[in-house]
Amino acid sequence: MPGTVRNLPKVFPSVVHALVDAAARSPEQEALTFGMERLNYREYLRCVAGFRHELKALGLSGGRVALLMGNSIDICITMFAIHAARAEAVPLNPAYTIRELLPMLEDAEPAAIIYDETLDDMVRTLAGRLELKHLISIGENHGRRLTVWRNREDLNTLEELPADADPATLQFTGGTTGRAKGACINHYSTSVNLSQREAVLPARDDMERMLCVMPLFHCYAVAMCLHAMVYRRGTLLIMPRYHPQAVIDALALEKITLFAGSPTIFTGLLNYPGFAETDFSNLYLSSSGSAPLAGEVLKEWERITGTPILEGYGQTEAGPVISFNPLHGVRKPTSVGIPVPGTEVQVVDLQAGTRVLDTGQKGEIRIAGPQIMQGYHNRPDETRLALRDGWLYTGDIGELDEEGYLYIRGRKKEMLIVSGYNVFPREIEEVLHRNPFVVEAAVVARNDSYRGELPIAFIVPGTQQGQDEETLRQYCAEHLAPYKIPAEFHFVEHLPKTAVGKVDKISLTQKAGKTTHGHL
């Protein structure tokens, strides 16, 4: 098809094809584990085939199916079954409220919702407002489990698999920075991006054991964990949620080889008592995404575990992976690596977005490649802004070095203008993270009648004594131009986070506007 990339590892027409291939090649290989429950690839395929048959019988092929599910084996089966039924998956955060979910569901117009039984009251309220016909409850009590087909020998194959141009996923994004938009991703975009990522970050066939603590309704965990393990016929060990002690236990007991996390998770583990004594003998690689990783966290992780974190960069609208530090090649701390094959990355001016900037200059990142979305659902104006002349304008600020490595400097919307100067919160945060007193740091803007905007820093302090606002200010003065030094430092017990572990800067911006000094 147009946009095909040459010299990639095998590109399947869809991830469903990859699952069929895995079940044929390695039927007895352990595929999924959740607590004491385990499925091999033959059983995995049977469960997908059984649920697919039910979805097709409900007339859902060609329509949309929403998911409101936490981490489990069932959500993995559900995602593949929806795709196998040639329907479009609409994964949503099960922690959202009715107020948050209603506009997304109204936009998506799903024909059915598959949901955890604990959400029954909320889903039935939503269904009443949306006039939904099909509600499928999943659980041990009032719902049903999707592993019931694991021993059905008549379900060892799948027919009428999705075509590469079929819609695969309507993934909502931008809910924390504005009105949520549904990015339309087809099967080819999803599958080719999986192979692009494998070209830079290759895993080993039939060997990997990946620990998944990230939410499986989010594109990061789907791409880096769910799809990646099927592609390489590895084992995905699913945790219901992140807890540092559970991660420590699993690393040793389950002989984890791969770990996908976020800056929040890596920082939390490094500061958890006993982490340094963990058995890391099987772990050989971790990956970080969802938000920029502080260079000091990366270095400390490698010092303690003896294994690297490879940082990458992605976006829901881009399949999602755009770049990664290569497994076999030069790794650069604080960089998000090189573009995956078939992807062109440029840094352009912030005004018109048409002038390509030189190496080392900061501007908006735009990308071109076969993995980018087809557009935003029901958002023609926003689609035209994001997709221009074959380029996806990411809204992220970055720069490229002389070797083509990409560095993220912040969000275009987060950029401050202080006394006429452009200030990127990411740069200030990196400086603060290098101070041993600082566990976490986030910088946001506050309006100022004289200077336009001011940088305001929120700090989670460590246990060291003798640090206060003035000493941090002096520290920043050694590393930053005067206009970049935070006007205020607020010491907090923790930074607010979104459901996928990103710092909730909207919440911090609101607090910055209401506070004047010191502690919160």
Side-chain angles (χ1 to χ4, degrees):
M1 66 177 294
T4 298
V5 183
R6 299 184 184 276
N7 302 318
L8 280 180
K10 182 175 177 63
V11 180
F12 291 96
S14 77
V15 292
V16 182
H17 289 77
L19 177 61
V20 171
D21 181 76
R25 289 173 178 264
S26 305
E28 302 296 332
Q29 169 73 20
E30 189 174 71
L32 298 172
T33 82
F34 184 78
M36 300 301 293
E37 189 172 26
R38 302 185 180 237
L39 287 184
N40 63 32
Y41 274 100
R42 178 187 289 117
E43 295 166 333
Y44 196 176
L45 183 66
R46 287 172 177 171
C47 295
V48 169
F51 196 31
R52 165 195 181 259
H53 177 75
E54 288 199 2
L55 297 178
K56 286 176 69 69
L58 291 174
L60 298 176
S61 296
R64 297 189 191 93
V65 179
L67 296 81
L68 280 168
M69 303 175 71
N71 280 11
S72 65
I73 283 178
D74 289 311
I75 191 175
C76 302
I77 295 169
T78 298
M79 290 286 281
F80 275 98
I82 292 172
H83 289 152
R86 300 187 77 165
E88 189 175 10
V90 187
L92 299 169
N93 185 346
Y96 279 167
T97 64
I98 290 175
R99 180 190 63 80
E100 292 166 314
L101 288 168
L102 191 59
M104 289 184 276
L105 290 168
E106 288 174 336
D107 186 29
E109 297 181 296
I113 298 181
I114 304 170
Y115 63 97
D116 290 337
E117 62 182 7
T118 54
L119 303 174
D120 193 69
D121 289 344
M122 181 178 72
V123 170
R124 291 190 180 279
T125 299
L126 286 166
R129 297 189 187 185
L130 297 166
E131 299 183 357
L132 279 165
K133 293 182 180 179
H134 304 296
L135 304 180
I136 303 173
S137 176
I138 306 298
E140 296 282 2
N141 300 314
H142 306 296
R144 40 86 64 91
R145 292 299 315 285
L146 300 181
T147 52
V148 294
W149 295 283
R150 65 187 301 165
N151 296 318
R152 286 277 297 275
E153 295 184 4
D154 59 325
L155 295 173
N156 285 333
T157 60
L158 277 175
E159 298 175 352
E160 299 178 4
L161 299 182
D164 51 16
D166 284 351
T169 306
L170 184 65
Q171 186 83 50
F172 279 89
T173 182
T176 60
T177 56
R179 183 177 61 172
K181 306 179 290 290
C184 303
I185 310 291
N186 68 21
H187 281 290
Y188 181 73
S189 295
T190 300
S191 190
V192 75
N193 193 228
L194 182 57
S195 297
Q196 288 175 306
R197 205 268 343 266
E198 281 292 323
V200 178
L201 204 68
R204 303 166 297 181
D205 289 338
D206 300 295
M207 293 179 63
E208 307 297 3
R209 297 180 64 80
M210 172 170 271
L211 183 61
C212 177
V213 299
M214 302 293 285
L216 281 163
F217 61 80
H218 191 266
C219 63
Y220 174 59
V222 170
M224 297 298 294
C225 302
L226 180 64
H227 292 165
M229 286 301 93
V230 168
Y231 186 91
R232 288 296 186 182
R233 307 186 297 277
T235 303
L236 183 64
L237 298 104
I238 307 161
M239 287 188 173
R241 64 193 61 83
Y242 164 70
H243 188 280
Q245 188 59 56
V247 171
I248 289 172
D249 294 341
L251 285 169
L253 294 174
E254 294 287 358
K255 299 181 178 179
I256 299 300
T257 64
L258 299 172
F259 180 51
S262 67
T264 300
I265 288 173
F266 290 117
T267 301
L269 287 169
L270 287 171
N271 287 280
Y272 191 77
F275 178 71
E277 287 73 50
T278 303
D279 179 3
F280 302 110
S281 60
N282 292 287
L283 184 69
Y284 81 92
L285 179 64
S286 298
S287 58
S288 181
S290 84
L293 181 69
E296 291 305 307
V297 173
L298 189 152
K299 292 175 185 177
E300 186 69 1
W301 180 274
E302 190 158 350
R303 183 186 71 80
I304 290 175
T305 70
T307 64
I309 298 175
L310 298 187
E311 189 174 9
Y313 167 57
Q315 222 178 46
T316 300
E317 294 90 337
V321 180
I322 296 170
S323 67
F324 244 104
N325 277 280
L327 177 60
H328 304 299
V330 176
R331 292 184 285 116
K332 295 190 177 184
T334 75
S335 166
V336 293
I338 56 176
V340 295
T343 302
E344 186 175 359
V345 172
Q346 293 182 345
V347 176
V348 296
D349 67 285
L350 295 172
Q351 288 72 39
T354 55
R355 180 170 58 88
V356 180
L357 302 182
D358 293 334
T359 296
Q361 289 186 301
K362 299 180 182 67
E364 183 173 3
I365 300 165
R366 69 178 185 181
I367 77 159
Q371 73 271 40
I372 65 174
M373 68 172 180
Q374 285 67 62
Y376 292 120
H377 180 62
N378 288 338
R379 300 281 188 271
D381 292 341
E382 293 181 69
T383 296
R384 281 190 290 270
L385 284 174
L387 299 176
R388 287 178 265 162
D389 299 321
W391 294 95
L392 169 65
Y393 284 73
T394 66
D396 288 324
I397 304 296
E399 62 180 287
L400 291 162
D401 70 11
E402 64 282 353
E403 295 178 298
Y405 280 70
L406 181 63
Y407 295 78
I408 307 300
R409 301 308 186 196
R411 288 288 296 169
K412 187 176 180 179
K413 292 181 180 178
E414 289 178 5
M415 185 184 73
L416 288 67
I417 301 179
V418 180
S419 300
Y421 294 99
N422 291 346
V423 175
F424 301 101
R426 173 68 176 157
E427 180 184 8
I428 304 172
E429 290 163 357
E430 277 288 346
V431 168
L432 290 168
H433 274 114
R434 289 200 294 268
N435 187 309
F437 170 72
V438 175
V439 174
E440 286 188 278
V443 175
V444 297
R446 191 173 72 207
N447 292 332
D448 181 76
S449 59
Y450 179 63
R451 286 185 283 177
E453 291 179 304
L454 296 174
I456 306 298
F458 291 85
I459 305 294
V460 177
T463 57
Q464 297 91 336
Q465 300 297 315
Q467 288 278 359
D468 55 21
E469 180 172 351
E470 187 53 38
T471 55
L472 273 182
R473 189 181 305 281
Q474 292 174 4
Y475 173 80
C476 287
E478 297 173 8
H479 302 282
L480 295 167
Y483 64 89
K484 297 180 182 179
I485 299 172
E488 295 172 9
F489 295 83
H490 298 282
F491 300 100
V492 296
E493 292 184 1
H494 59 84
L495 298 177
K497 304 294 196 312
T498 67
V500 294
K502 294 183 181 181
V503 174
D504 185 352
K505 289 201 170 182
I506 286 183
S507 174
L508 290 180
T509 299
Q510 292 171 343
K511 291 181 179 180
K514 295 175 182 177
T515 59
T516 57
H517 216 26
H519 294 258
L520 293 180

